[in-house]
Amino acid sequence: MVKASHEFQIFAKPAGAVCNLDCRYCYYLEKGELYPGTESFRMSDEILEEYITQQIACTPDSSIQFFWHGGEPTILGLDYFQKIVDLQQKLKPPDTRIINNIQTNGMLLTEDWCRFLAREGFYVGLSLDGPQALHDTYRVTKGEKPTHKQVMQGYRLLRQHKVPCDILCVVHDRNVRKPLEVYRFFREMKARYISFIPLVEQEGGGENAVTSRSVSAAAFGEFLCAIFDEWIRHDMDRVIVQIFEEAARPACGQNHSLCVFRPTCGDLPVMEHNGDVYACDHFVDREHLLGNIRHTPLVSMIESPALAAFGKSKRDMLPRYCRECDVLALCNGGCPKDRISKTRDGEEGLNYLCAGYKRFFAHCRPYTQRIAALRMAGEPPERLMRLLQMERITARPAVGRNDPCPCGSGKKYKKCCMNAEN
């Protein structure tokens, strides 16, 4: 099979939209309606093997990544994923590496699951919206029961078995009001990597018509700024926040890795349980159906004019307001699904979150420029954290040994930054 001409990722959904939860903001549960009359959304052994075969064959790199999404993929059971690993090992050529990623709500994780994930080198994305009261606002079971306790149990098992785990936090109308409470909760549970995903649920067809659960642009911008200010002074060396990493990439001469901020999109198609492939996770509909893996080679769909046009439209449909914006290189108009607003001139296609993104990127830019300068000088970017702490100290009145440290750590000065000055 011909190799793809560029890197790509497939979000494979081996259980379709089937899930054991009924999160009130979930955008994917309704996708089951695309397949009326379907009794089982379990990807068949035939399609599973065909997909793994083609993914391995057309990936242009020696590291081949699989991304298992849902719905809830663990609902298929541990034996199903053992079958996946066995197929991958049987089909992979020499001198190649298979990397598996799985996105889960954590409710079904057990000792056996975590032993398997650790043994097979899986990377796990765990959905968690913060402390219990904030998480349980919208992430509930089919019977409207809270889920935080079970998710945290799953997280503890992942840590116990040393499974790499990223936290995916949906930012909605409730937790957006408490940025530091949310962030400190994740820090205290020793989360290493955090993604903040703004909730924008369209409702009706009017401009800025969103549900009450949706985050406002202004609130999201303030949420990011508040967390950034804490992170950059205290946690650069121990916590990775995805959007902060993305904000620094252009200053360091790097392309964005997150599709939301790339100039074009189309490198993350979705494959449903029956082999149907769609242009994007947020555009799983008949208009954006690229084909089916049983009839059309995966590489042909990845290289298709339809997918290329979908990806380029993100850039080509930008309103003039965005093209002239001084933070365009940082956001590139954001995700097309959120372009439901109008510019001041009445031009359509402005991202609903524009004001929030602009507020955050303008706020963090002086710091990301300093990060870039440190990297160019061969210094670790984390050195900025200590420099900022020292600048804060020198700008304040004299501090006694037993006074709270002015860096804001909560420790006494003598136990914190005093030693760094000497």
Side-chain angles (χ1 to χ4, degrees), residues 60-78:
D61 194 69
S62 60
S63 292
I64 304 168
Q65 296 219 36
F66 289 84
F67 294 83
W68 306 103
H69 279 239
E72 174 52 43
T74 63
I75 207 167
L76 295 170
L78 185 51

Side-chain angles (χ1 to χ4, degrees), residues 1-11 51-61 63-67 101 262 265-271 277 279 293 297-303 307:
M1 180 178 288
V2 177
K3 299 286 186 183
S5 63
H6 56 87
E7 293 183 1
F8 66 92
Q9 298 173 2
I10 302 290
F11 281 4
Y51 164 57
I52 292 174
T53 300
Q54 293 197 36
Q55 171 86 8
I56 289 173
C58 70
T59 297
D61 194 69
S63 292
I64 304 168
Q65 296 219 36
F66 289 84
F67 294 83
N101 305 263
R262 292 176 188 166
C265 53
D267 296 330
L268 284 89
V270 165
M271 191 176 74
V277 177
I293 199 169
L298 182 61
V299 69
S300 297
M301 291 185 277
I302 292 167
E303 303 281 354
L307 185 57

